[in-house]
């Protein structure tokens, strides 16, 4: 069975689509304000999603969700991703979604009780604290944050930034060096750190592209000074930080791309509608060949992203890590996302820069996609190296 032959979850998809169309998209302008009214709106929409049985579609029922695998989630997320708030409303937002997955895979029974179940239930939020301002995030073997064992505790000291969602979160999963003498990929460990532990300081929410954010939508600088947590907070084995990060980031990248598919299609639709409506030089913009080229290129690129994403999701469901497929779609879809939104803005002229359409906000959010969870350049390097290796060691890369 190939991904393309796999039938979408038609009934569930219909329910998600209707809810997005009737309840979430009409609330977008309220949600965009990111104030108390927006928080109340999120809470209301979340309770409706729960009662529809659609809550947390990224994790299976035993972890508290409604999920049934990656491929199903890809189809649902394409709808959920049409607005930037969709994942928050459905309880599958980053970084909580990735944190839930690794707690589900590697957490102890106690860790699951204390953090996984309340997290998936949407009672608390979390953050993932790996990147540091002083060293390149692309090469996390250079991380400096240290966790030193003292009796039954870890004592953590370090400085992180871009810990997304740290404002208002209950806990973070912190990547810290526990054995600086180990081989580079065995040096670090992931440790669960409750935010109310003495020594944890959320220094600031870092404004990005003019946007400070609020709670879930922040990107925070965080300092850890003599932070003491029990060794029982270790996630998985000591020294397995990179292995777990890989487990988290691989699927996490696909989650982003699934959401971007919704963003791309929304920008595409706005572009087509406006091109048909706006009259200029004696006819609609849709008659101009340049605009037709933008529409045709966008169509082809979105469709390529869509099929490559479904293929990668299908391979992950079959047990493959799909490293080449995931890296390829991460850098390719990030570029397509930015290009399609940019073309849609251009077709709208000055209106495209206003808040009268969602495009400006979409563009602001899209740019980070070429950097977070690994910049384009690193993913291209991964694809090229892995493909070349198949030529060095055998018959070469086989597209399948
Ligand atoms: C919106 C947003 C949210 C984020 N959320 C989180 C989070 O929740 N938790 C967290 O820990 N981190 C988070 N990050 C951080 C993110 O993962 C890092 O920014 C990313 O890994 C890149 O690291 P860096 O910024 O230090 O860039 P660097 O590693 O310093 O790289 C800078 C540039 O160098 C180039 N480059 C790097 N390596 C290569 C190479 N091999 N070949 C060619 N060029 C190269 C690339 O163009 C790259 O953009 C977030 C970032 C953004 C933008």
């Amino acid at each position: 069975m190939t991904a393309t032959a796999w039938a979408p979850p038609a009934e569930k998809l219909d329910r998600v689509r209707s809810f997005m169309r009737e309840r979430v998209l009409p609330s977008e302008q309220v949600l965009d304000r990111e104030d108390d009214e927006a928080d109340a709106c999120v809470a209301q929409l979340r309770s409706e999603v729960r009662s529809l049985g659609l809550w947390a579609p990224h994790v299976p029922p035993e972890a508290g969700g409604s999920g049934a695998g990656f491929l199903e989630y890809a189809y649902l997320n394409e709808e959920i991703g049409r607005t930037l708030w969709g994942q928050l409303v459905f309880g599958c937002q980053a970084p909580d979604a990735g944190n839930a997955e690794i707690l589900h895979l590697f957490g102890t029974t106690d860790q699951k009780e204390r953090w996984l179940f309340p997290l998936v239930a949407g009672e608390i939020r979390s953050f993932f604290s790996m990147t540091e301002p002083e060293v390149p995030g692309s090469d996390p073997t250079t991380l400096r944050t240290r966790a030193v064992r003292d009796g039954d505790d870890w004592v953590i000291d370090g400085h992180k930034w871009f810990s997304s969602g740290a404002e208002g979160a209950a806990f973070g999963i912190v990547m810290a060096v526990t054995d600086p003498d180990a081989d580079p990929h065995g040096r670090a460990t992931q440790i669960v750190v409750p935010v109310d532990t003495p020594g944890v300081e959320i220094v600031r929410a870092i404004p990005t592209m003019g946007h400070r954010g609020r709670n879930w939508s922040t990107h925070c600088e965080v300092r850890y000074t003599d932070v003491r947590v029990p060794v029982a907070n270790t996630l998985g084995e000591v020294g397995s930080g990179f292995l777990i990060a890989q487990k988290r980031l691989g699927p996490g990248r696909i989650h982003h791309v699934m959401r971007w598919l919704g963003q791309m299609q929304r920008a595409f639709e706005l572009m087509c509608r406006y091109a048909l409506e706006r009259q200029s030089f004696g006819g609609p913009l849709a008659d101009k060949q340049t605009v037709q080229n933008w529409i045709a290129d966008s169509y082809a690129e979105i469709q390529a992203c869509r099929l490559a994403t479904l293929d990668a999701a299908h391979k992950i469901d079959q047990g493959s890590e799909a490293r080449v497929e995931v890296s390829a779609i991460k850098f390719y879809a990030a570029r397509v996302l930015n290009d399609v939104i940019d073309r849609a803005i251009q077709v709208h002229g000055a209106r495209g820069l206003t808040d009268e359409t969602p495009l400006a906000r979409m563009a602001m959010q899209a740019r980070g996609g070429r950097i977070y969870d690994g910049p384009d350049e690193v993913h291209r390097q991964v694809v090229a190296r892995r493909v070349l290796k198949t030529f060095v060691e055998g018959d070469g890369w086989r597209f399948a």
Side-chain angles (χ1 to χ4, degrees):
M1 184 176 70
T2 66
T4 47
W6 195 87
E11 188 272 332
K12 226 181 200 181
L13 196 54
D14 269 356
R15 282 193 290 142
V16 168
R17 201 173 275 148
S18 309
F19 188 75
M20 286 299 297
R21 191 177 54 235
E22 288 157 24
R23 297 290 296 128
V24 186
L25 290 168
S27 307
E28 193 173 41
Q29 286 184 339
V30 174
L31 297 170
D32 278 350
R33 289 207 294 268
E34 299 188 80
D35 55 10
D36 291 347
E37 197 188 336
D39 288 351
C41 184
V42 169
Q44 170 61 31
L45 293 170
R46 286 180 145 205
S47 80
E48 292 175 34
V49 167
R50 283 191 190 94
S51 62
L52 287 170
L54 297 170
W55 180 253
H58 60 298
V59 281
E62 66 265 27
S66 60
F70 248 82
L71 198 50
E72 176 193 274
Y73 184 46
Y75 282 112
L76 300 181
N77 219 353
E78 193 176 2
E79 294 300 324
I80 293 170
R82 291 177 74 83
T83 164
L84 297 162
W85 302 104
Q87 290 191 321
L88 188 64
V89 165
F90 280 77
C92 53
Q93 71 284 354
D96 298 314
N99 287 346
E101 277 168 0
I102 51 177
L103 279 164
H104 176 55
L105 287 175
F106 299 99
T108 61
T109 306
D110 282 352
Q111 290 171 352
K112 287 181 184 173
E113 288 292 333
R114 193 164 164 205
W115 294 300
L116 172 64
F117 299 130
L119 183 66
V120 175
E123 292 159 8
I124 56 174
R125 285 194 301 97
S126 65
F127 59 98
F128 187 69
S129 208
M130 179 152 109
T131 307
E132 302 177 1
E134 294 84 5
V135 294
S138 308
D139 181 7
T141 60
T142 60
L143 290 178
R144 292 185 185 166
T145 295
R146 284 294 313 270
V148 176
R149 181 99 188 234
D150 182 24
D152 286 338
D153 291 338
W154 289 114
V155 179
I156 304 172
D157 282 280
H159 183 205
K160 302 282 189 180
W161 77 343
F162 280 88
S163 292
S164 299
E167 185 177 85
F171 71 90
I173 297 181
V174 178
M175 181 93 153
V177 175
T178 42
D179 181 359
D181 299 324
D183 78 88
H185 290 97
R187 285 179 197 155
T189 302
Q190 296 195 17
I191 302 169
V192 182
V193 177
V195 171
D196 58 7
T197 313
V200 176
E201 184 194 357
I202 310 290
V203 180
R204 62 179 173 137
I206 307 158
T208 54
M209 303 188 82
H211 178 241
R212 179 205 182 272
R214 173 172 143 121
N215 295 328
W216 168 68
S217 60
T218 55
H219 306 293
C220 295
E221 179 181 351
V222 188
R223 273 195 191 277
Y224 302 88
T225 310
D226 288 335
V227 172
R228 190 173 277 273
V229 294
V231 168
N233 287 19
T234 309
L235 189 58
E237 302 292 318
V238 172
S240 67
F242 282 99
L243 188 143
I244 297 179
Q246 197 48 50
K247 289 275 177 210
R248 181 185 191 287
L249 290 169
R253 287 167 183 138
I254 289 279
H255 289 179
H256 286 307
V257 177
M258 293 168 183
R259 175 172 59 82
W260 296 344
L261 289 171
Q263 292 281 288
M264 291 172 199
Q265 289 172 49
R266 189 154 179 218
F268 181 75
E269 289 162 16
L270 288 165
M271 171 164 63
C272 292
R273 292 211 174 92
Y274 197 76
L276 287 165
E277 175 192 319
R278 188 69 159 178
Q279 303 289 320
S280 169
F281 293 100
L285 289 176
D287 283 355
K288 319 290 184 255
Q289 191 163 20
T290 298
V291 174
Q292 291 175 353
N293 287 343
W294 290 338
I295 290 169
D297 288 349
S298 299
Y299 165 80
E301 291 162 8
I302 293 169
Q303 187 66 320
C305 285
R306 208 174 168 267
L307 295 176
T309 305
L310 293 172
D311 176 57
H314 174 63
K315 285 179 176 151
I316 290 174
D317 272 346
Q318 302 298 304
S320 165
E321 281 199 328
R323 293 283 287 272
V324 168
E325 290 83 350
V326 168
S327 276
I329 194 60
K330 164 68 172 60
F331 82 78
Y332 181 63
R335 280 212 318 247
V336 171
L337 173 72
N338 279 274
D339 288 350
V340 173
I341 294 173
D342 190 66
R343 289 173 195 140
I345 288 177
Q346 194 70 12
V347 165
H348 281 76
R351 181 166 288 119
L353 300 179
T354 68
D355 290 343
E356 287 174 20
T357 85
L359 290 166
R361 199 171 176 111
M362 287 164 71
M364 184 261 282
Q365 292 286 334
R367 187 61 184 84
R370 294 188 53 204
I371 297 172
Y372 56 71
D373 284 7
D376 291 358
E377 296 70 24
V378 171
H379 286 292
R380 293 164 92 181
Q381 184 174 292
V382 169
V383 171
R385 281 188 178 162
R386 285 183 173 250
V387 167
L388 286 169
K389 194 161 173 247
T390 66
F391 284 89
V392 172
E393 292 177 356
D395 291 341
W397 180 261
R398 285 197 57 222
F399 288 88

